[in-house]
Amino acid sequence: QVQLVESGGGLVQAGGSLRLSCAPSGRTFSTGTMAWFRQVPWTEREFVASIRASGGTTNYADSVRGRFTIARDAAKNTVSLQMKSLKPEDTAVYYCAAVDYYMFGYMASQYDYWGQGTQVTVPS
């Protein structure tokens, strides 16, 4: 059974940085797509960024482009999300997601595997 385990969330002041990491267990995503979503209470899960598991192609939501960077470490079978210039509106639970094939997917329903989420809080 595939599990995605996120780490690295926490509380950071506005303008600060934080790095999230996601480690799949149970298999290696060498040819699919891995992504980060975020969610605040009573809203739909929002696409943040995605990367082709084999490396290279990345996509970002407009709200984070230029501030967040998604990266894939194939040797460690992990995907990270480096977040800089954080804003209060970035406060959310961040989820790692994956699917077995490459695509540009910005809807949560397009992903088959999910982590439990990690809280990121940026006080105003």
Side-chain angles (χ1 to χ4, degrees):
Q1 184 176 355
V2 177
Q3 287 187 316
L4 304 180
V5 181
E6 303 100 336
S7 61
L11 187 149
V12 61
Q13 297 302 313
S17 299
L18 207 58
R19 184 176 181 274
L20 306 182
S21 183
C22 173
S25 65
R27 60 166 294 172
T28 300
F29 287 94
S30 59
T31 59
T33 306
M34 301 189 75
W36 289 94
F37 283 74
R38 64 188 182 186
Q39 188 172 28
V40 297
W42 303 292
T43 66
E44 292 187 356
R45 208 160 283 190
E46 175 192 23
F47 172 78
V48 175
S50 67
I51 187 168
R52 188 168 190 165
S54 60
T57 306
T58 58
N59 294 287
Y60 294 93
D62 289 343
S63 58
V64 306
R65 187 176 290 110
R67 300 188 298 122
F68 291 11
T69 303
I70 189 170
R72 168 88 169 130
D73 187 331
K76 296 181 180 179
N77 194 31
T78 59
V79 62
S80 62
L81 185 69
Q82 178 68 52
M83 304 183 292
K84 299 181 179 179
S85 302
L86 282 160
K87 306 175 182 179
E89 50 264 44
D90 294 318
T91 295
V93 176
Y94 284 70
Y95 294 91
C96 179
V99 66
D100 288 323
Y101 49 90
Y102 174 66
M103 56 139 190
F104 171 37
Y106 60 90
M107 295 188 296
S109 60
Q110 294 175 288
Y111 292 82
D112 295 324
Y113 307 103
W114 290 89
Q116 294 299 308
T118 184
Q119 176 71 46
V120 172
T121 302
V122 187
S124 56

